[in-house]
């Protein structure tokens, strides 16, 4: 929602319109993850007034909220203003003394600017084309603002809420006047966690639901189309009531955000963000500053969205242990692609980076803009310096696990490893290829099966052929994502300087070396590409990269989807580590487990499909992948150089000898994993790298080095 200065010709003579606002709120888009509010059977009163203890009385008899009435003036942050006021109310209702309802403190005040700025990372209407340009032009600025309530709610869920002002000198505040900042500092983030979002529900536009929600929560976050009747003069002329004439609605096409804080038989009581002089509805105990009555007829014609919220427990880290929904409705939601609520960003704040094609992801739930990268460096330096930290684990997930699921697993593993004095740094680098690849493989399998009725090996062969074109294009994109994350591809010197991920790893490794803390690398699936590129970076930049090589205590590849001959530097480094007595392990499926695996309608493993359809072949032969059983790898390696009647040339002989050397090294590094109850043989739903038995083995390999 973006409120932009405007003038209305229909405003009463003498009213100052210089700080009025054009509304730019849009109805929240449909999201299958939304939980819909279900009203209880609590008795509804004829009227509900805000809690008396929330107010103080001025000398003139006007009742005003203890935290004040917000005035956004010409600012474009009505979403932040409304949500901040809701949190102010809920904090005081939560912390009130039951024996003294008047003892509510007014010193602390939530930052509307913080909520609004952080909501920009979650806004679904970030690109409105001509509409955005028109709004920007009207605002005299570029880019537009936050346009949905859900954007602000997501910001609250993932980051908590900072205070704009506080009586506590230790509180790191974000003043409402500070519009230049775009990201929370580490200190602000820690304080914001003390005001966390718990449950939240979307309201259907049913009058009884709104009344029941007010009875239960006392506040509703609302967006609605406004009209001339909202002007200060007209509200005052109508005795604190918003003037609505159905015959000449004149409503704005877009909307405005505010709170509903009560109701009467005539309509809802709304708390606005247009200053104390607005509203002043005559309540039984005196006029209410900033509050007016919104008739039910006006509500029915103009309401856009409504949400109810409850605060969560402050400063807790329990989200990684949440269990997904169960039952019939949960099954329906999963079949439609919906999942349980995501783990909040703050759960791994400062311990992860999210990149796409080498650049920081700057929008979305798990955004890490450049400010977050600086916070990562600061946080990890502090973690390394902590005497409780024994070691650091660098995690590089693969490309087949959706980001939200990978993030949830990372948060859970963080706490598991922390119990042993080990801290984790997580690098999400693969542009979330999971949905693309799953969709391509699933649709191809379905079309090939339905078109010819093929099954078994014949169906697998047809899937491999059908995917060979798009598969190779996707594989090149995946490889490019890894390379661009590790190397600065824009470096004009051509000296292979570090990219964002490479720079962060080298800085962290340098801190670990200086403090004598070992580094352990876990690379899952195609994460082995990143590990290979990092070793290559370290060897090319010996002065900077030496810290990474020197600090390595263990490397574990988990079902790596990378060709053996594309990982030669990593394999050589792991073999060197093994000779020095360090831990270097390639976890692969044993042959019986490999026979059980399937992937999204394909009757073989991910590695087999990648080898046959995604990775460029050598002399027409599929190449061995590090995620295969060693027997399969060995067979494919031999097949690459099988005689075809032509005498091999010198280059082919050298390639064959190099492959034989790598396979001897791989054999020493491989550790076969057997099938267990924790493994799902359809890798579309559960990746083997995330199976509990596999994760326990990975952790054992690291703990054995301490």
């Amino acid at each position: 929602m973006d409120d932009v200065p405007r003038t209305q010709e229909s405003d009463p003579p003498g009213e100052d319109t210089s700080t009025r606002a054009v509304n730019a709120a849009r109805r929240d888009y449909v999201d299958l993850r939304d939980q819909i509010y279900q009203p209880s059977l609590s008795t509804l009163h004829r009227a509900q007034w805000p809690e008396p203890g929330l107010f103080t009385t001025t000398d003139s008899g006007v009742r005003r909220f203890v935290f004040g009435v917000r005035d956004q003036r010409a600012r474009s942050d009505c979403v932040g203003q409304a949500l901040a006021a809701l949190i102010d109310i809920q904090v005081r209702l939560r912390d009130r003394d039951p024996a003294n309802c008047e003892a509510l403190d007014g010193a602390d005040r939530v930052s509307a600017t913080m909520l609004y700025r952080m909501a920009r990372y979650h806004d679904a209407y970030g690109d409105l084309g001509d509409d955005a340009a028109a709004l920007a032009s009207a605002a005299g600025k570029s880019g537009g603002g936050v346009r949905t309530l859900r954007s602000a709610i997501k910001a609250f869920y993932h980051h908590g809420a900072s205070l704009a002002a506080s009586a506590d000198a230790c509180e790191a505040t974000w003043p409402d006047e500070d519009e230049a900042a775009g990201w929370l500092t580490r200190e602000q983030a820690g304080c914001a966690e003390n005001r966390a979002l718990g449950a939240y529900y979307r309201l259907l536009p049913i009058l009884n639901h709104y009344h029941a929600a007010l009875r239960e929560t006392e506040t509703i976050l609302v967006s609605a189309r406004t009209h001339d009747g909202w002007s200060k003069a007209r509200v005052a002329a109508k005795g604190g009531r918003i003037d609505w004439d159905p015959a000449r609605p004149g409503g704005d096409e877009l909307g405005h955000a505010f709170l509903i804080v009560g109701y009467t038989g005539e309509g809802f009581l709304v708390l606005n963000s247009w200053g104390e002089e607005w509203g002043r509805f005559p309540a039984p105990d005196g006029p209410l500053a900033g509050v007016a009555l919104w008739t039910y007829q006006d509500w029915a014609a103009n309401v856009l969205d409504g949400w109810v919220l409850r605060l969560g427990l402050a400063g807790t880290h329990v989200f990684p242990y949440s269990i997904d929904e169960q039952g019939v409705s949960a099954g329906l939601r999963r079949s439609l692609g919906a999942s349980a609520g995501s783990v909040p960003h703050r759960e791994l704040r400062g311990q992860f980076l999210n990149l796409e094609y080498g650049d920081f992801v700057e929008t979305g739930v798990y955004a890490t803009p450049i400010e977050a990268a600086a916070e990562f460096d600061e946080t990890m330096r502090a973690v390394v310096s902590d005497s409780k930290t024994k070691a650091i684990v660098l995690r590089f997930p693969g490309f087949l696990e959706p980001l939200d699921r990978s993030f949830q697993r990372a948060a859970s593993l963080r706490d598991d490893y922390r119990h042993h004095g080990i801290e984790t740094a997580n690098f999400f680098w693969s542009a979330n290829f999971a949905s693309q690849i799953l969709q391509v493989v699933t649709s191809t399998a379905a079309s090939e099966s339905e078109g010819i009725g093929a099954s078994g090996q014949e169906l697998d062969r047809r899937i491999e052929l059908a995917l060979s074109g798009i598969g190779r294009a996707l594989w090149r994109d995946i490889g490019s994502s890894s390379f661009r994350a590790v190397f600065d591809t824009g470096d004009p010197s051509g000296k292979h300087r570090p990219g964002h991920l490479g720079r962060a790893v080298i800085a962290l490794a340098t801190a670990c070396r200086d403090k004598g803390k070992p580094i352990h690398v876990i690379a899952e699936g195609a994460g082995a590409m990143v590990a290979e590129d990092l070793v290559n970076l370290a060897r090319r930049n010996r002065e900077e990269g030496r810290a990474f090589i020197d600090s390595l205590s263990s490397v574990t590849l988990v079902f790596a989807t990378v060709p053996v001959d594309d990982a030669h530097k990593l394999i050589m480094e792991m073999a060197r580590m093994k000779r020095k007595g360090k831990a270097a392990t390639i976890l692969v499926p044993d042959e019986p487990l490999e026979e059980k695996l399937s992937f999204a309608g394909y009757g073989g493993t991910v590695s087999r499909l990648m080898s046959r359809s995604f990775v460029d072949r050598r002399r027409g032969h599929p190449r061995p992948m590090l995620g295969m059983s060693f027997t399969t790898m060995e067979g494919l390696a031999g097949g690459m150089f099988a005689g075809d009647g032509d005498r091999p040339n010198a280059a082919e002989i050298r390639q064959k000898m190099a492959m034989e050397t790598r396979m001897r090294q791989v054999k020493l590094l491989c550790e076969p994993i057997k099938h267990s109850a924790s493994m799902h043989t359809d890798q579309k739903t559960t990746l083997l790298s995330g199976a509990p038995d596999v994760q326990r083995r990975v952790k054992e390999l690291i703990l054995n080095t301490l």
Side-chain angles (χ1 to χ4, degrees):
M1 280 170 206
D2 205 17
D3 300 332
V4 184
R6 70 164 176 179
T7 298
Q8 289 185 338
E9 296 179 0
S10 55
D11 286 332
E15 179 168 357
D16 178 14
T17 61
S18 63
T19 60
R20 291 293 305 278
V22 162
N23 301 321
R26 289 175 174 264
R27 191 185 305 274
D28 280 311
Y29 57 89
V30 175
D31 191 326
L32 294 171
R33 293 168 295 185
D34 287 345
Q35 298 286 340
I36 303 301
Y37 173 76
Q38 300 297 325
S40 67
L41 297 178
S42 299
T43 302
L44 297 178
H45 301 305
R46 295 183 182 277
Q48 179 170 314
W49 304 94
E51 173 70 49
L54 290 171
F55 295 91
T56 59
T57 304
T58 66
D59 294 340
S60 60
V62 176
R63 303 277 286 171
R64 62 187 294 273
F65 283 92
V66 294
F67 47 81
V69 176
R70 296 171 181 272
D71 189 352
Q72 69 186 81
R73 302 182 187 276
R75 289 174 54 170
S76 58
D77 59 355
C78 63
V79 171
Q81 298 283 353
L83 181 55
L86 183 148
I87 300 169
D88 281 334
I89 291 173
Q90 291 239 348
V91 166
R92 284 160 179 81
L93 293 177
R94 180 192 66 185
D95 298 341
R96 63 186 166 185
D97 179 1
N100 181 10
C101 66
E102 297 292 335
L104 293 172
D105 178 33
D108 293 349
R109 178 184 172 99
V110 170
S111 173
T113 300
M114 173 266 173
L115 292 168
Y116 181 71
R117 290 290 173 183
M118 299 307 291
R120 286 174 176 263
Y121 295 100
H122 304 274
D123 192 27
Y125 294 100
D127 182 8
L128 290 175
D130 294 339
D131 189 17
L135 289 169
S137 176
K141 59 185 181 182
S142 62
V146 176
R147 296 180 176 85
T148 66
L149 299 181
R150 184 190 279 108
S151 301
I153 293 170
K154 281 188 174 183
F156 183 26
Y157 176 81
H158 285 282
H159 305 283
S162 294
L163 294 181
S166 175
D168 185 356
C170 296
E171 180 81 27
T173 61
W174 185 326
D176 277 328
E177 298 75 24
D178 185 3
E179 298 184 71
W183 190 257
L184 288 162
T185 66
R186 188 164 171 242
E187 293 75 17
Q188 287 171 334
C191 293
E193 290 186 0
N194 293 323
R195 289 157 295 277
L197 176 58
Y200 58 101
Y201 299 89
R202 191 172 187 176
L203 280 168
L204 297 176
I206 300 173
L207 189 60
N208 185 63
H209 288 202
Y210 271 64
H211 285 144
L214 280 170
R215 171 75 169 155
E216 198 170 339
T217 67
E218 304 193 43
T219 52
I220 300 175
L221 182 64
V222 174
S223 64
R225 290 179 292 268
T226 57
H227 47 79
D228 296 342
W230 283 71
S231 71
K232 183 175 71 174
R234 291 192 178 210
V235 171
K238 287 292 183 177
R241 291 167 172 79
I242 297 167
D243 187 15
W244 165 246
D245 183 358
R248 47 183 301 274
D252 290 317
E253 181 182 352
L254 300 175
H256 172 58
F258 52 92
L259 293 186
I260 296 178
V261 294
Y263 65 86
T264 70
E266 187 181 353
F268 291 113
L269 301 174
V270 299
L271 172 62
N272 206 352
S273 54
W274 291 351
E276 294 187 6
E277 298 298 321
W278 187 88
R280 302 216 167 183
F281 182 74
D285 294 332
L288 305 178
V291 176
L293 187 132
W294 187 30
T295 66
Y296 293 130
Q297 191 176 17
D298 193 349
W299 167 84
N302 291 304
V303 68
L304 293 176
D305 277 300
W307 295 80
V308 286
L309 293 72
R310 275 293 191 206
L311 299 182
L313 296 177
T316 57
H317 298 275
V318 297
F319 285 92
Y321 310 108
S322 298
I323 299 175
D324 203 351
E325 296 171 288
Q326 300 175 359
V328 175
S329 62
L332 174 62
R333 283 158 58 85
R334 290 194 195 99
S335 69
L336 295 173
S339 61
S342 55
V343 175
H345 184 290
R346 64 178 182 272
E347 285 295 311
L348 279 180
R349 190 180 187 98
Q351 290 189 253
F352 81 96
L353 291 177
N354 187 13
L355 298 100
E356 183 171 309
Y357 294 109
D359 294 323
F360 291 122
V361 175
E362 296 191 342
T363 59
V365 171
Y366 301 121
T368 53
I370 191 67
E371 297 92 341
E375 180 187 13
F376 174 88
D377 292 341
E378 181 184 359
T379 300
M380 294 312 301
R381 281 197 302 269
V383 165
V384 171
S385 299
D386 192 333
S387 60
K388 297 178 183 177
T389 303
K390 298 178 182 178
I392 299 293
V393 165
L394 309 185
R395 290 190 64 253
F396 305 104
F399 58 79
L400 284 176
E401 188 171 38
L403 179 58
D404 56 349
R405 205 173 298 167
S406 186
F407 193 91
Q408 181 175 15
R409 193 155 63 86
S412 179
L413 289 172
R414 184 271 315 273
D415 291 343
D416 190 15
Y417 278 100
R418 182 172 286 173
H419 178 72
H420 300 280
I422 302 171
E423 292 290 341
T424 60
N426 301 273
F427 300 89
F428 306 104
W429 60 275
S430 59
N432 206 11
F433 285 104
S435 59
Q436 298 178 53
I437 292 178
L438 285 173
Q439 183 177 2
V440 167
V441 176
T442 302
S443 61
T444 301
S447 63
E448 292 297 326
S449 177
E450 293 174 4
I452 61 169
S455 61
Q457 293 183 354
E458 175 62 17
L459 175 60
D460 290 346
R461 189 180 68 83
R462 289 182 173 272
I463 291 173
E464 292 164 3
L465 289 173
L467 287 174
S468 59
I470 190 172
R472 281 165 173 72
L474 281 170
W475 188 259
R476 286 192 292 271
D477 280 350
I478 294 166
S480 176
S481 288
S482 172
F483 187 85
R484 293 173 66 174
V486 175
F487 291 95
D488 179 6
T489 55
D491 181 13
S493 69
K495 294 182 178 180
H496 295 92
R497 308 303 299 171
H500 291 314
L501 188 151
R503 181 207 56 77
V505 168
I506 287 177
L508 177 54
T510 301
C512 287
R513 182 187 61 183
D514 293 345
K515 296 294 182 180
K517 305 292 176 71
I519 284 178
H520 302 271
V521 168
I522 301 174
E524 300 174 352
M529 287 184 181
V530 181
E532 164 74 11
D533 285 334
L534 281 170
V535 170
N536 193 9
L537 174 70
R539 292 300 179 188
R540 286 175 178 267
N541 298 271
R542 293 187 178 277
E543 185 175 344
E544 292 179 327
R546 188 171 182 80
F548 176 66
I549 299 297
D550 290 347
S551 300
L552 276 179
S553 181
S554 77
V555 175
T556 306
L557 308 185
V558 187
F559 303 109
T561 49
V562 62
V564 172
D565 50 334
D566 281 354
H568 57 279
K569 284 188 171 61
L570 177 59
I571 293 170
M572 288 173 59
E573 188 62 43
M574 293 177 70
R576 192 179 295 116
M577 292 173 63
K578 194 85 168 180
R579 289 194 297 271
K580 292 181 178 180
K582 296 183 177 181
T585 309
I586 303 174
L587 296 181
V588 299
D590 67 3
E591 293 176 65
L593 173 58
E594 191 172 48
E595 290 297 319
K596 291 183 173 69
L597 298 175
S598 62
F599 174 67
Y602 175 72
T605 65
V606 172
S607 292
R608 190 177 89 177
L609 183 60
M610 297 294 118
S611 173
R612 293 172 181 265
S613 300
F614 284 66
V615 178
D616 291 331
R617 298 190 174 207
R618 290 288 187 265
R619 303 177 74 223
H621 296 282
R623 295 153 66 189
M625 308 284 282
L626 284 176
M628 297 173 166
S629 69
F630 182 76
T631 301
T632 303
M633 273 192 273
E634 197 171 36
L636 288 177
M640 288 173 61
F641 302 98
D644 55 5
D646 295 330
R647 186 173 181 178
N649 57 38
E652 290 172 341
I653 292 174
R654 287 195 297 271
Q655 291 173 4
K656 181 179 180 182
M657 293 175 63
M659 177 60 77
E660 289 172 348
T661 299
R662 290 189 202 104
M663 290 306 300
R664 286 194 296 270
Q665 293 170 330
V666 168
K667 185 175 183 180
L668 295 174
L669 298 170
C670 277
E671 178 180 317
I673 297 293
K674 298 180 180 180
H675 182 263
S676 70
S678 74
M679 298 178 186
H680 197 297
T681 55
D682 179 0
Q683 290 174 290
K684 175 183 175 181
T685 54
T686 303
L687 294 176
L688 283 182
S689 56
D693 285 358
V694 177
Q695 287 300 320
R696 276 194 291 271
R697 181 55 185 153
V698 173
K699 186 171 69 174
E700 285 174 2
L701 291 170
I702 293 174
L703 293 179
N704 288 341
T705 68
L706 298 180

